[in-house]
């Protein structure tokens, strides 16, 4: 209300005399607002932010591909490692859990079962672990250019998706080598991948914000991840453990809780879709009909994680350059 | 009167349109570095005693700056090393959030810095594409600008195919400037981006800055070569220890600066 006379033709001189320093700052902010200037480090409205992120989709994809390419530039074999890494992983797990410990416990075709678990869990695990570093590792980029910061954890999730797609070649080869027939049912694997990707993005956005302000998270994450791995039925079958007469059967709430675990949900669904013999074994031998429930959990987890993670990351948007 | 205070009132020219308003800006940033004894026992006792990390220090880099920059101005910022010039540019670009006060701009400011990050493991080619996309260009625009950027950077033949870590500092600076200058900016902030280029590139980049200045609303330039500042800018702000020391026409301020620093 007092703007017009303050900003009359007399200009700054009178501003200085009328008002002491605290009022000067007020006036400058008002003055800026009247001319439509916006706060430079402020976070944009959510709608605009989502549009900005969408506008950078090409950047996300190019950044991810570039990251993927630069990952192996120092090694002699180069991109061959993209394929060799999953194969070696499978070999190690086979040696330990298949040959030495013999954890198969009546699961038909234990190797495809194990490989599906290891790859699908690794997808989520690596997304979260590199997501936690996505802000810290790119501080120079963040301080050099303005772009929506959420593109960084998003790009990380895309990197992991690209890595997984290479691993899937190995997985499919193994599945078919074990005599699994090609079925239409396998097409359902695609929506599972999409749902899991959504979950990974959400989880990686959450840890990206945590990791940006507290580097201790990145030290702690490997242990959390390992605990999660054992709770998710990657190297053993949870349904087998839940059979009648087992310990878990006495505590149904624990079994319910384990089945809600997102990593378990995505892994188990993938197995049901890709491994006909395993699906048959769970449904007929163990008499457990829980696929519908798994789908429900899968959708809920992916939506909750993606929306919640995005909002959580967004709320600290203007602070990521600091420190 | 206000002039006895440390912070002077900012004069506002009602006839001109402001593009950047800096309002009593304070910047404090945290620095994490090696410090303390560095063993686990001392770190643990520190956590138990609820002390903050000894290696973390707070730097009060900008202490209450206020000024208004109008459309079409080219502002040089001078001061000794560590006086807060680069910090100020980062704050205007919105890369460092203010501790108190504020920076108001029209449009998104773009900062051309010496260490504007590009990915050093990737080829120059890929860096151009990534840089353009990060600035918000579409793939078609990126493609259209690609050759222009390569020509402007003027790298030796074949170097565009090599990873950027193999570049000399001058070559890297040229490529970065070429990428950033490919886009028109509302507010352009140039931080010593031209210091490592050779004579031929300096002429080229000066011409490009002139062009950008005409297209842009305002240009900020941080440079230690005072002749460059005098030639390129019409207004100069001299910062000392994070505070305003002098603000006025380029010739006057630079002359006063030379006198004070005893050159």
């Amino acid at each position: 209300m007092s703007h017009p006379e303050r900003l009359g033709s007399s200009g700054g001189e009178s501003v200085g005399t009328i008002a002491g320093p605290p009022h000067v700052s007020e006036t400058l902010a008002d003055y800026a607002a009247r001319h439509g200037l916006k706060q430079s480090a402020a976070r944009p409205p959510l709608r605009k932010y989502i549009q900005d992120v969408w506008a950078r989709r090409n950047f996300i994809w190019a950044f991810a591909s570039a990251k993927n390419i630069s990952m192996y530039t120092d090694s002699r074999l180069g991109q061959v490692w993209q394929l060799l890494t999953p194969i070696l992983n499978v070999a190690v797990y086979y040696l330990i859990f298949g040959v030495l410990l013999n954890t198969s416990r009546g699961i038909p075709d234990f190797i495809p079962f194990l490989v599906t678990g290891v790859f699908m869990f690794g997808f989520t695990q690596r997304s979260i672990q590199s997501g936690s570093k996505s802000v810290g590792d790119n501080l120079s980029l963040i301080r050099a250019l303005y772009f929506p910061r959420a593109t960084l954890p998003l790009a990380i999730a895309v990197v992991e998706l690209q890595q997984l797609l290479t691993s899937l070649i190995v997985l499919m080869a193994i599945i078919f080598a074990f005599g699994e027939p090609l079925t239409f049912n396998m097409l359902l694997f695609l929506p599972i991948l999409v749902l899991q990707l959504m979950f990974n993005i959400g989880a990686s956005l959450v840890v990206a914000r945590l990791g940006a302000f507290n580097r201790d998270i990145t030290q702690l994450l490997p242990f959390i991840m390992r605990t999660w791995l054992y709770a998710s039925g990657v190297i053993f079958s949870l349904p087998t453990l839940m059979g009648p007469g087992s310990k878990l059967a006495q505590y149904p709430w624990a079994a319910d809780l384990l089945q809600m675990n997102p990593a378990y949900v995505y892994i188990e669904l993938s197995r049901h879709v890709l491994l006909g013999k395993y699906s048959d074994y769970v449904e007929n031998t163990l008499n457990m009909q829980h696929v519908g429930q798994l789908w429900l959990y899968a959708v809920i987890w992916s939506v909750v994680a993606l929306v919640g993670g995005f909002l959580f990351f967004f709320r600290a948007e203007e602070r990521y350059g600091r420190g | 009167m206000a002039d006895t205070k440390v912070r002077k009132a900012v004069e506002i020219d009602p006839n001109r349109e402001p593009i950047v308003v800096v309002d009593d800006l304070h910047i404090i940033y945290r620095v994490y570095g090696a410090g303390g004894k560095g063993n686990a026992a001392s770190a643990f006792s520190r956590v138990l005693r609820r002390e903050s990390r000894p290696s973390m220090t707070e730097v009060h880099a900008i202490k209450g700056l206020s000024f208004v920059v109008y459309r079409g101005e080219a502002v040089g910022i001078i001061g000794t090393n560590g006086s807060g010039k680069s910090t100020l540019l980062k704050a205007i670009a919105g890369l460092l959030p203010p501790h108190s006060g504020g920076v108001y701009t029209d449009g998104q400011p773009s900062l051309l810095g010496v260490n504007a990050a590009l990915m050093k493991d990737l080829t120059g080619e890929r860096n151009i594409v990534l840089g353009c996309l990060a600035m918000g260009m579409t793939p078609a625009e990126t493609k259209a600008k690609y050759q222009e950027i390569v020509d402007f950077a003027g790298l030796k033949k074949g170097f565009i195919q090599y990873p950027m870590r193999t570049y000399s500092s001058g070559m890297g600076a040229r490529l970065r400037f070429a990428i950033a200058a490919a886009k028109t900016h509302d507010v352009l902030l140039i931080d010593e981006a031209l210091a490592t280029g050779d004579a031929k590139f300096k002429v080229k980049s000066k011409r490009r800055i002139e062009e950008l200045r005409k297209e842009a609303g305002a240009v900020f330039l941080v440079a230690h070569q005072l002749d460059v500042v005098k030639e390129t800018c019409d207004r100069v702000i001299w910062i000392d220890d994070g505070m305003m020391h002098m603000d006025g026409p380029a010739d006057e301020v630079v002359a006063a600066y030379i006198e004070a620093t005893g050159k």
Side-chain angles (χ1 to χ4, degrees):
Chain A
M1 279 134 247
S2 54
H3 304 155
E5 76 241 31
R6 270 200 196 169
L7 226 112
S9 52
S10 47
E13 220 73 316
S14 64
V15 172
T17 38
I18 292 172
H23 293 276
V24 171
S25 54
E26 247 189 281
T27 318
L28 270 181
D30 290 346
Y31 171 68
R34 194 173 22 259
H35 283 270
L37 305 190
K38 291 191 186 69
Q39 181 107 30
S40 187
R43 122 170 82 101
L46 183 60
R47 246 182 108 87
K48 168 92 172 42
Y49 188 74
I50 293 173
Q51 283 169 358
D52 280 355
V53 171
W54 176 245
R56 307 288 156 113
R57 60 193 182 279
N58 291 303
F59 170 69
I60 294 175
W61 192 258
F63 185 89
S65 309
K67 261 257 139 71
N68 238 334
I69 288 166
S70 67
M71 212 173 278
Y72 301 107
T73 41
D74 287 337
S75 58
R76 181 185 278 235
L77 288 174
Q79 299 304 310
V80 179
W81 280 109
Q82 280 205 25
L83 216 58
L84 266 184
T85 314
I87 292 176
L88 289 176
N89 256 327
V90 170
V92 169
Y93 280 100
Y94 174 68
L95 187 69
I96 295 173
F97 297 106
V99 178
L100 293 179
L101 294 177
N102 197 18
T103 29
S104 61
R105 290 204 200 185
I107 300 168
D109 288 354
F110 183 66
I111 293 305
F113 168 88
L114 179 68
V115 175
T116 313
V118 170
F119 283 5
M120 298 311 278
F121 186 79
F123 180 35
T124 296
Q125 180 187 28
R126 282 192 313 270
S127 298
I128 291 179
Q129 284 189 356
S130 29
S132 70
K133 291 181 247 162
S134 60
V135 173
D137 285 355
N138 292 300
L139 268 187
S140 50
L141 188 65
I142 286 178
R143 290 189 183 148
L145 289 174
Y146 171 79
F147 58 94
R149 312 308 186 200
T151 51
L152 290 173
L154 274 166
I156 293 295
V158 174
V159 171
E160 296 309 335
L161 178 69
Q162 289 175 344
Q163 298 259 322
L164 178 77
L165 292 180
T166 340
S167 307
L168 286 183
I169 300 171
V170 177
L171 175 65
M172 290 324 254
I174 290 172
I175 287 175
F176 292 129
F178 273 79
E180 201 69 56
L182 186 64
T183 58
F184 276 111
N185 208 22
M186 284 182 178
L187 281 179
L188 284 174
F189 185 56
L190 281 179
I192 297 173
L193 262 190
V194 173
L195 290 174
Q196 195 179 353
L197 177 69
M198 284 164 67
F199 174 80
N200 288 355
I201 291 172
S204 124
L205 282 163
V206 171
V207 289
R209 173 169 168 183
L210 296 176
F213 301 113
N214 191 346
R215 297 290 180 89
D216 302 54
I217 298 285
T218 50
Q219 302 295 329
L220 204 61
L221 264 181
F223 301 102
I224 298 173
M225 283 299 155
R226 211 170 308 156
T227 316
W228 198 14
L229 176 116
Y230 292 121
S232 307
V234 175
I235 42 189
F236 51 82
S237 165
L238 272 184
T240 316
L241 295 183
M242 290 169 197
S246 69
K247 228 182 181 138
L248 271 175
Q250 295 166 28
Y251 303 100
W253 57 268
D256 284 344
L257 214 62
L258 280 173
Q259 293 198 57
M260 278 182 220
N261 169 4
Y264 167 76
V265 168
Y266 296 117
I267 292 169
E268 196 67 8
L269 265 184
S270 307
R271 282 173 182 156
H272 274 288
V273 167
L274 292 177
L275 313 171
K277 278 180 221 157
Y278 175 74
S279 172
D280 194 54
Y281 165 76
V282 172
E283 281 175 1
N284 297 329
T285 314
L286 298 177
N287 211 8
M288 280 179 68
Q289 316 290 337
H290 66 326
V291 181
Q293 196 188 12
L294 285 177
W295 276 105
L296 182 69
Y297 285 148
V299 172
I300 292 175
W301 269 118
S302 57
V303 173
V304 168
L306 186 63
V307 174
F310 193 83
L311 290 177
F312 182 68
F313 186 88
F314 167 73
R315 292 177 70 98
E317 171 74 8
E318 74 278 13
R319 291 192 278 130
Y320 289 121
R322 203 170 171 199
Chain B
M1 279 263 307
D3 54 358
T4 51
K5 298 259 166 41
V6 183
R7 184 151 43 81
K8 285 178 218 147
V10 175
E11 286 184 27
I12 292 169
D13 184 347
N15 301 319
R16 291 163 82 189
E17 198 188 336
I19 189 156
V20 175
V21 172
V22 175
D23 174 21
D24 191 23
L25 179 70
H26 286 263
I27 300 272
I28 298 176
Y29 59 85
R30 297 192 199 106
V31 181
Y32 298 92
K37 276 194 202 133
N39 58 34
S42 71
F44 187 64
S45 74
R46 198 195 66 226
V47 171
L48 286 186
R49 276 183 275 130
R50 296 180 156 267
E51 286 170 11
S52 62
R53 281 175 58 169
S55 52
M56 195 200 81
T57 35
E58 293 210 322
V59 179
H60 198 160
I62 300 284
K63 303 166 182 165
L65 275 182
S66 300
F67 57 86
V68 177
V69 171
Y70 304 94
R71 229 166 243 285
E73 270 191 316
V75 182
I77 296 172
I78 57 174
T80 51
N81 285 339
S83 53
K85 303 185 298 288
S86 299
T87 310
L88 175 62
L89 285 202
K90 277 184 188 152
I92 296 173
L95 302 170
L96 277 178
H99 178 74
S100 68
V103 178
Y104 305 89
T105 59
D106 189 14
Q108 177 59 50
S110 308
L111 176 67
L112 295 195
V114 220
N115 22 337
L118 296 170
M119 299 169 83
K120 60 182 191 324
D121 282 338
L122 300 179
T123 61
E125 218 171 5
R126 239 166 219 284
N127 271 299
I128 295 178
V129 174
L130 274 180
C132 288
L133 292 175
M135 290 193 297
M137 292 189 191
T138 65
E141 283 168 346
T142 306
K143 226 177 194 167
K145 285 276 180 189
Y146 178 79
Q147 197 52 45
E148 196 183 307
I149 295 172
V150 173
D151 292 343
F152 188 82
L155 301 180
K156 252 191 230 145
K157 222 174 172 219
F159 260 93
I160 204 75
Q161 311 282 356
Y162 296 169
M164 268 196 84
R165 63 183 133 85
T166 63
Y167 288 21
S168 74
S169 60
M171 285 162 68
R174 275 150 70 156
L175 185 61
R176 280 190 291 262
F177 180 78
I179 292 173
K183 196 180 165 238
T184 55
H185 306 273
D186 298 313
V187 178
L188 184 62
L189 312 155
I190 303 169
D191 183 9
E192 292 279 15
L194 317 169
T196 43
D198 54 23
K200 197 176 142 200
F201 184 71
K202 267 183 195 156
V203 176
K204 242 182 179 178
S205 51
K206 232 197 100 200
R207 208 179 311 139
R208 185 75 187 121
I209 290 177
E210 276 305 312
E211 284 172 33
L212 286 171
R213 203 183 130 185
K214 275 177 209 136
E215 296 160 3
V219 175
F220 286 78
L221 179 72
V222 166
H224 282 286
Q225 300 113 309
L226 295 173
D227 51 325
V228 175
V229 174
K230 235 176 3 182
E231 277 172 50
T232 333
C233 306
D234 42 30
R235 174 180 169 191
V236 170
I237 291 173
W238 172 6
I239 302 180
D240 189 36
D241 195 22
M243 285 177 288
M244 175 75 76
H245 195 87
M246 201 174 168
D247 177 3
D251 297 343
E252 268 176 44
V253 180
V254 169
Y257 181 71
I258 289 172
E259 193 160 324
T261 50
K263 262 197 191 171

